[in-house]
Amino acid sequence: MKTLVIGIAGTAKNTGKTTTLSSILKEIKKGPGLSLALTSIGYDGESFDNVTGLPKPRIHVRPGDLVAVSERGLLFSSAKLELIREAGVMTPMGKVVTGRVVKQGKLVLAGPNNRRELRLVLDQLEALGVDITIVDGALSRIAPMVEADALVLSTGASRCREIPRLAEESGCMADILTTPALESRGRVEQVASILNQAGFNAFFEKCLAADTVRIQGVIGEKLLAMIADRSAQLVGKHLVFGDPMKLLLAGEIKSVHRILDTLEKGGIRVGVEKQVRLLAVTVNPYFPKYRYNKGDYEADYVDKDELLRSITESVRVPCFDVVAQGGEGVFGELMRFRDSF
Amino acid sequence: MMVVSDVFAHVVDALDVETFLVCMSENEGKNLALTMMKDMGFQDVDVVFVKFQGSGARVRVRAYINRPGDKYPWLDLEDTGEEES
Amino acid sequence: MAKKILLAPVDPVHDIGLKMVNRGLREAGYDTVLLPPDLSTEEIIQAIIDEKADTAVLSRTLGYGVADLLARFVDLADAAGIREKVRIAIGGMAVRPELAQELGFDASFGPGSTVEETIAFVEGKEFIKGTNLSRKQARDMTEGYSYKVKHGRIGELLEKTTDMILAWTEGKTSPGVERAILRDELWDVNKWRSGQPTTGFFSEYAGLCDEIVRNYYEKGELHPKTRRFTDKDVEKLRAHVERSRVDLQTPSIQHTLKKPIIFNQYGTGCPYMDIAHIKASEAYGADGVVHFDPSWGARTEGFFDGFLTHQEDGTVITPDNLMHICESLEKGTLWQVRAHRGLNTPETVVLAGKLGAHLTKINICYGSLGAGTEPARLTVDGVASIRYAAKYKLPFDVVTNEELCGVPAYKAFAGMLIVAHLGAALGGRSILQPLFCYSPEVMISGQMEDNYVDFNAAKITALRSIMDAPIWPGAPIGFLTQDEDRVQSSTTTALHTGLAAMLGVDAISIASSDEAYSGGPITVPSKVDTLRSAAESFRFFGQSRMELGRNAVQWSEEIVSGIESVLEQVVEKGDFVQALYDGILGNREDGAYPGRNGLNTVTQK
């Protein structure tokens, strides 16, 4: 069976990606011997947060687990690996190596941090015949996650402390992430990225002349808004983006959502080539509160019940608080997806 | 019995405190410095440097956290690999 | 094809660091584009596309919120597809590899990064910090010196003293020499390293040792102040050393100069603690380290074995201790194990040679007049030591520590030159080690009333006019000019360093800022203090020179004629050992006393 690749993406730092990852790992360990590989597009593993100085959780791995991690992180990990190969990827923290855990312990997870290199590493892990590969995210970075089969999105008060606003944004995010696939029909044109007026003009001309325009790269928010402004001239056209990540990156999420809505209402079909499967959203009530008098950060929390309730109402996928509820729920979604895979 | 805290496990040998203490003599400055360290919980303390001049004394006072021959906590900083509950 | 590099300051204002990198890259022949500050993420990405850059370097000062901005940049670049072909790096004051990793960059350039690093990145070459960055090679400072004596009369006299000493030692031996022979011929260091028994050696060796050492070999009793380390301890230590290698960038303290080589001493008593100190010294740019052993070791016939820690000042010399310390050193770090006094000098040289030291220290005069070893014994042992030093190709410095007792420099130098000349005759390579110190001599005679410069300079000039040999002032420099004030201590070290550099000497030993503190062991931060201050001295003075005072020339001449006069007296006496006893090279009034350790232990072979 093909390896199932799950990405755990966050909406900001400290939204609980690593905690979510840990809870999933715990569930996997309880279950019937699923083989597991771990990697990351970022860096998790320090005892203290790089920027705020607050403690961060760390990943615990068991013998048999496969990992693809940057060398330098290994030096500070208590887990020991039997090295299988060098991945052929270089990161700021050294070469990425693939290995099998032989001594349990804490692992500093840092790995291939862009899409191309993640693809390389995922292929290598697949060749080793593993059941599940989990890719830990970093900050709010999401572009490489297009290589995953499905995503878990971690959000929380660290992204925004006001629950109603966070809920609204999460809803928008989930919507955008689940933008459906759209086929190219009729005359097809193609552009790279649309980042300035010149790029927009070139796109618009092609759009007028074609039925479908495939936008391979990214688009700036103002330029997306321009399309909406001139939607009257583009009724019936298909705009196909590479994947939903590119839409998420266009700009402020609620604005982008609004613009996409406008486009749809204006009769323009917007879709993606590669769809993303969003399995679940996890919520984290924690956020680092800046203390002006001391110039540092301390831990603070929003109402966790209200948070979970609001986000659940807002997004259309299952929602969990893995600290309060454990990882069973998220893991359940994973397994359900795997069965249908 | 050293000050109990994880952070001190990272100190290789000693901790120096340098400051300027308002006092009337070198002796007073010395005693103040030693008391200060003891108040902070340090035991193995000594004044490395003291100079009284004018309104007070400039001091460097040291607390040895590890002396040569002790068992050094900084060699044990890597954890054992046990999973936390 | 030449790479094109785009440089973008993400700050609202221009980044000086980025401008300097831009300059460096252009000078290296690369095509660069330096964007103006304050552009949006989209604009920068568009610029990378338009300029068809192969590489992009961003710079930004960090703060809360900036991480998100940079992360979005990387994300957008990735989503735009440019990460397939363009490598992107981030530079700035607070940038560390872990942060660059988290943000998604290919590389990071933190404070202290060089243009070379940037170029390696641009070219896609692996730049391993610590190997490319002023990678230290263990240098032999004696290279190129002929040891020719330029002063005619002194040359003649030294020929005579050498002959005298060799004739006198002919056919003589001592327990120290006998143990050295055993150690040299019967102790197989490779067998020992691999844990195989060397019983042939031990059965004979024990018999030549003092009781306390014999008890160790026969009954396993350790010296009361020592404790043995366990295997687990060793494991942990190795892991600690490995971890400290990771980030080791070895800055060149000497800035635009190539010398002097900088030595630090170690010897807390515990080899573990020593290794922690050594790693710190290396990290702050020390080129070499010197082993300080406890004084009781010098008074005891024979060495213990085992990985032992010791409660007091000085780390016990045992093969195990030396081996562990040697293993922890970076490849390019020079390592000196001293054999200048005591009852174990020739054996120390053999051990040093077999275990991988780069240098040793030998001085018959100081050892017997200022360190308590009996003159006849040390003469016999000293000659043997020099022979072994030559055999194992260990250069050795000849230190004039007797200056600290009160012996005037010219007498101490006479003794030093005798040993240096003897060394050359036996195929050894010596290094002259006069002191830069506030010695009793100058306290009484006043040469340093105005400044510390002229008399020290005079010493160097004097020696240079006599012999073509390397010079390594010690021990450490600025001795007795320091007090417990950390700033004062570091400053005087820095200034003496500056002087040494201007005088063009080959090496110096520097102390810590704890030098004058005798209430406890030296600490790591104090070692770092003086390494930093020394580095600053090089930075400040660079290749500039000081003008010496009027007295420097006169004092130099006085030293030379003083040396000549002492040598005349030694030659006239006709017996080197007797010359030591008679105080020609330093007498009771000077503060020098012939030692008694090892009295009546010299025998005929």
Side-chain angles (χ1 to χ4, degrees):
Chain A
M1 187 174 176
K2 184 183 173 303
T3 304
L4 175 61
V5 179
I6 305 288
I8 304 185
T11 57
K13 211 160 154 68
N14 294 312
T15 47
K17 282 189 298 19
T18 313
T19 312
T20 301
L21 173 58
S22 291
S23 67
I24 295 174
L25 292 181
K26 277 212 181 87
E27 294 301 315
I28 292 179
K29 293 308 164 184
K30 281 188 210 161
L34 280 173
S35 60
L36 170 71
L38 281 180
T39 187
S40 167
I41 61 166
Y43 170 70
D44 260 318
E46 220 168 52
S47 300
F48 297 93
D49 185 295
N50 259 327
V51 176
T52 64
L54 293 165
K56 288 202 74 151
R58 288 163 76 191
I59 302 299
H60 186 274
V61 291
R62 304 264 183 98
D65 292 341
L66 283 178
V67 298
V69 290
S70 302
E71 271 185 327
R72 189 184 149 105
L74 278 179
L75 248 23
F76 302 102
S77 304
S78 60
K80 296 282 173 260
L81 303 189
E82 170 207 341
L83 290 183
I84 296 173
R85 61 170 293 175
E86 285 183 6
V89 168
M90 192 61 174
T91 72
M93 286 177 63
K95 293 185 230 169
V96 174
V97 294
T98 306
R100 193 180 304 275
V101 178
V102 292
K103 173 180 167 252
Q104 68 155 356
K106 296 286 169 59
L107 182 71
V108 173
L109 259 194
N113 64 15
N114 64 61
R115 175 191 176 158
R116 184 182 64 84
E117 292 172 346
L118 177 63
R119 179 75 263 152
L120 219 80
V121 166
L122 289 174
D123 288 342
Q124 289 170 14
L125 290 170
E126 163 118 40
L128 292 167
V130 68
D131 292 322
I132 299 187
T133 296
I134 305 187
V135 182
D136 193 19
L139 297 166
S140 55
R141 287 170 45 223
I142 195 145
M145 291 301 196
V146 65
E147 295 300 330
D149 298 311
L151 287 191
V152 172
L153 186 68
S154 294
T155 191
S158 191
R159 168 81 183 170
C160 173
R161 264 179 271 169
E162 291 156 59
I163 296 178
R165 273 178 56 196
L166 180 65
E168 196 194 340
E169 187 199 62
S170 306
C172 294
M173 215 180 252
D175 274 352
I176 297 174
L177 268 176
T178 50
T179 302
L182 184 65
E183 79 282 4
S184 301
R185 61 172 185 105
R187 261 169 320 169
V188 180
E189 285 283 3
Q190 199 161 287
V191 293
S193 293
I194 306 169
L195 293 167
N196 57 17
Q197 189 66 51
F200 178 82
N201 295 341
F203 153 79
F204 199 74
E205 275 200 37
K206 287 193 174 167
C207 209
L208 288 174
D211 302 302
T212 301
V213 180
R214 294 170 63 202
I215 302 158
Q216 302 289 32
V218 296
I219 185 165
E221 188 186 318
K222 279 207 291 278
L223 303 152
L224 191 62
M226 273 190 224
I227 303 179
D229 288 340
R230 300 162 82 160
S231 54
Q233 295 166 273
L234 303 173
V235 178
K237 310 277 183 185
H238 279 207
L239 296 180
V240 183
F241 289 85
D243 56 67
M245 281 68 177
K246 300 185 170 22
L247 285 169
L248 263 189
L249 285 168
E252 199 276 305
I253 291 171
K254 283 181 282 201
S255 307
V256 171
H257 190 264
R258 229 183 348 259
I259 297 169
L260 290 173
D261 235 10
T262 310
L263 289 171
E264 283 291 341
K265 292 204 174 82
I268 301 173
R269 300 281 311 278
V270 177
V272 297
E273 272 175 40
K274 184 172 186 217
Q275 239 179 300
V276 161
R277 185 56 200 269
L278 179 63
L279 293 181
V281 171
T282 65
V283 301
N284 183 1
Y286 158 96
F287 67 94
K289 185 164 82 171
Y290 188 65
R291 297 194 290 193
Y292 286 94
N293 58 331
K294 294 201 174 168
D296 69 358
Y297 295 87
E298 72 173 358
D300 203 350
Y301 300 84
V302 299
D303 183 333
K304 64 177 169 61
D305 296 320
E306 203 197 315
L307 177 67
L308 183 59
R309 197 178 39 241
S310 298
I311 307 272
T312 307
E313 272 172 23
S314 190
V315 305
R316 283 178 286 196
V317 294
C319 250
F320 304 98
D321 175 343
V322 296
V323 172
Q325 301 166 309
E328 219 184 301
V330 184
F331 183 64
E333 296 304 322
L334 241 94
M335 289 297 99
R336 240 188 303 282
F337 178 69
R338 181 163 184 266
D339 291 338
S340 68
F341 193 46
Chain B
M1 216 30 199
M2 63 167 244
V3 177
V4 177
S5 168
D6 277 344
V7 179
F8 288 100
H10 291 255
V11 174
V12 174
D13 40 25
L15 192 86
D16 284 357
V17 174
E18 300 207 29
T19 187
F20 189 88
L21 297 167
V22 172
C23 57
M24 306 278 269
S25 70
E26 179 175 300
N27 221 33
E28 192 189 355
K30 219 176 187 164
N31 289 327
L32 286 171
L34 290 170
T35 309
M36 175 177 77
M37 294 303 267
K38 298 235 167 84
D39 283 352
M40 288 200 270
F42 298 109
Q43 306 299 323
D44 185 358
V45 300
D46 192 21
V47 172
V48 178
F49 167 77
V50 60
K51 175 107 172 130
F52 174 79
Q53 209 158 323
S55 58
R58 179 164 162 240
V59 294
R60 173 159 64 132
V61 58
R62 171 169 295 170
Y64 279 102
I65 309 291
N66 298 305
R67 284 197 179 248
D70 290 347
K71 286 207 162 271
Y72 313 127
W74 38 266
L75 283 172
D76 282 320
L77 286 177
E78 208 182 25
D79 66 73
T80 57
E82 297 299 309
E83 176 153 28
E84 286 151 31
S85 53
Chain C
M1 206 179 70
K3 306 271 180 168
K4 188 166 184 186
I5 306 147
L6 182 128
L7 301 133
V10 185
D11 279 297
V13 296
H14 242 304
D15 187 291
I16 295 170
L18 203 61
K19 281 185 168 174
M20 286 172 62
V21 170
N22 184 42
R23 188 191 109 209
L25 288 170
R26 291 189 88 85
E27 278 172 7
Y30 290 96
D31 186 7
T32 71
V33 172
L34 177 63
L35 294 182
D38 217 13
L39 293 178
S40 72
T41 299
E42 284 84 351
E43 285 171 309
I44 298 176
I45 292 177
Q46 189 64 50
I48 294 174
I49 296 171
D50 290 341
E51 297 285 348
K52 295 191 176 49
D54 306 289
T55 313
V57 179
L58 268 58
S59 85
R60 175 69 210 225
T61 20
L62 244 31
Y64 193 69
V66 175
D68 293 318
L69 187 149
L70 289 172
R72 179 160 183 274
F73 173 88
V74 174
D75 231 4
L76 204 61
D78 201 347
I82 65 176
R83 299 286 270 119
E84 307 285 318
K85 286 177 249 121
V86 182
R87 305 184 71 223
I88 311 185
I90 176 78
M93 277 313 287
V95 175
R96 291 187 64 231
E98 286 79 6
L99 189 59
Q101 171 71 19
E102 191 170 22
L103 293 169
F105 288 91
D106 289 309
S108 67
F109 300 119
S113 297
T114 59
V115 177
E116 282 71 32
E117 257 186 274
T118 316
I119 291 174
F121 170 68
V122 166
E123 293 297 335
K125 295 204 172 82
E126 203 178 322
F127 185 89
I128 303 165
K129 283 188 173 154
T131 53
N132 296 10
L133 191 68
S134 69
R135 189 57 254 173
K136 285 197 204 291
Q137 304 282 340
R139 283 189 274 167
D140 178 6
M141 70 181 96
T142 67
E143 206 180 299
Y145 286 101
S146 67
Y147 299 98
K148 258 170 69 164
V149 183
K150 305 180 209 175
H151 188 293
R153 183 57 190 152
I154 290 181
E156 286 167 16
L157 292 165
L158 288 173
E159 289 285 326
K160 295 208 167 94
T161 57
T162 293
D163 289 339
M164 262 163 56
I165 295 171
L166 289 176
W168 189 89
T169 55
E170 182 70 41
K172 293 191 173 72
T173 187
S174 76
V177 173
E178 292 304 310
R179 285 196 305 279
I181 293 172
L182 284 179
R183 189 68 77 172
D184 182 41
E185 293 173 6
L186 290 186
W187 189 73
D188 185 331
V189 67
N190 294 315
K191 275 206 177 123
W192 174 82
R193 276 191 207 278
S194 61
Q196 294 174 50
T198 43
T199 40
F201 168 76
F202 283 116
S203 50
E204 291 202 47
Y205 184 79
L208 293 166
C209 298
D210 275 348
E211 191 182 341
I212 195 169
V213 178
R214 209 163 48 239
N215 282 341
Y216 169 77
Y217 289 111
E218 290 171 359
K219 303 177 197 165
E221 283 171 23
L222 289 176
H223 186 281
K225 289 189 173 145
T226 65
R227 169 172 76 79
R228 198 197 293 278
F229 289 113
T230 64
D231 286 339
K232 199 153 197 282
D233 291 332
V234 176
E235 252 307 306
K236 284 194 246 173
L237 179 69
R238 289 222 164 96
H240 176 78
V241 171
E242 268 318 299
R243 273 197 302 269
S244 55
R245 284 200 207 283
V246 173
D247 249 328
L248 191 63
Q249 291 189 58
T250 46
S252 172
I253 287 187
Q254 294 88 344
H255 184 48
T256 52
L257 292 176
K258 294 270 179 274
K259 27 186 222 183
I261 295 173
I262 311 280
F263 282 88
N264 246 184
Q265 67 206 42
Y266 68 87
T268 59
C270 172
Y272 267 92
M273 184 64 93
D274 283 345
I275 290 170
H277 280 223
I278 288 169
K279 297 325 277 177
S281 292
E282 286 172 324
Y284 282 85
D287 302 298
V289 292
V290 181
H291 185 111
F292 266 58
D293 54 305
S295 43
W296 62 255
R299 292 192 294 270
T300 311
E301 300 266 14
F303 288 124
F304 289 90
D305 202 344
F307 193 19
L308 305 176
T309 184
H310 173 243
Q311 276 164 20
E312 289 166 14
D313 228 16
T315 300
V316 183
I317 290 182
T318 70
D320 256 316
N321 281 359
L322 292 182
M323 182 188 77
H324 282 104
I325 287 169
C326 186
E327 271 177 8
S328 76
L329 298 171
E330 293 300 305
K331 259 217 296 255
T333 302
L334 291 166
W335 183 39
Q336 181 186 48
V337 178
R338 311 173 315 158
H340 60 312
R341 45 69 164 138
L343 302 171
N344 296 310
T345 56
E347 196 186 347
T348 305
V349 180
V350 173
L351 279 178
K354 288 194 172 186
L355 290 166
H358 300 91
L359 304 136
T360 184
K361 192 188 210 59
I362 302 171
N363 189 352
I364 302 169
C365 303
Y366 163 65
S368 55
L369 295 176
T373 314
E374 196 272 317
R377 171 62 186 265
L378 195 54
T379 303
V380 169
D381 283 9
V383 169
S385 296
I386 294 175
R387 287 192 208 273
Y388 283 121
K391 173 177 177 180
Y392 286 100
K393 299 197 179 18
L394 295 176
F396 56 94
D397 78 71
V398 187
V399 66
T400 56
N401 275 346
E402 57 270 53
E403 289 188 66
L404 299 171
C405 309
V407 175
Y410 70 88
K411 286 190 190 176
F413 287 6
M416 169 171 69
L417 289 165
I418 289 174
V419 176
H421 190 269
L422 174 63
L426 293 173
R429 298 186 70 73
S430 62
I431 304 156
L432 307 179
Q433 187 161 101
L435 303 195
F436 276 10
C437 64
Y438 189 59
S439 61
E441 177 192 7
V442 307
M443 284 182 212
I444 295 164
S445 312
Q447 291 99 325
M448 286 185 168
E449 254 166 30
D450 176 65
N451 64 68
Y452 292 147
V453 175
D454 295 330
F455 193 63
N456 286 327
K459 286 178 171 176
I460 305 301
T461 316
L463 290 172
R464 283 210 174 115
S465 72
I466 297 173
M467 189 188 267
D468 178 38
I471 302 182
W472 172 2
I477 52 166
F479 200 55
L480 297 178
T481 65
Q482 294 166 312
D483 68 33
E484 300 92 336
D485 178 342
R486 176 172 178 233
V487 175
Q488 185 276 347
S489 196
S490 305
T491 307
T492 183
T493 298
L495 293 167
H496 279 88
T497 299
L499 175 63
M502 288 191 202
L503 293 169
V505 299
D506 300 277
I508 52 172
S509 300
I510 63 172
S512 66
S513 63
D514 272 349
E515 181 62 30
Y517 171 63
S518 53
I522 289 172
T523 63
V524 165
S526 310
K527 283 221 167 127
V528 175
D529 283 346
T530 47
L531 285 165
R532 289 290 295 114
S533 68
E536 206 48 39
S537 170
F538 283 104
R539 181 64 185 91
F540 184 81
F541 289 114
Q543 299 185 34
S544 63
R545 287 278 173 279
M546 220 190 300
E547 199 182 292
L548 298 174
R550 279 171 309 162
N551 294 321
V553 173
Q554 182 201 330
W555 287 335
S556 171
E557 289 167 359
E558 283 172 9
I559 290 172
V560 174
S561 54
I563 291 170
E564 189 182 336
S565 139
V566 169
L567 291 173
E568 296 278 11
Q569 292 173 62
V570 174
V571 168
E572 206 189 302
K573 178 79 17 169
D575 180 332
F576 175 69
V577 174
Q578 197 56 48
L580 288 167
Y581 269 108
D582 287 353
I584 296 174
L585 292 153
N587 57 39
R588 289 188 143 68
E589 209 185 294
D590 296 327
Y593 303 87
R596 300 181 61 76
N597 287 324
L599 185 62
N600 296 325
T601 55
V602 174
T603 55
Q604 291 294 128
K605 276 193 199 148

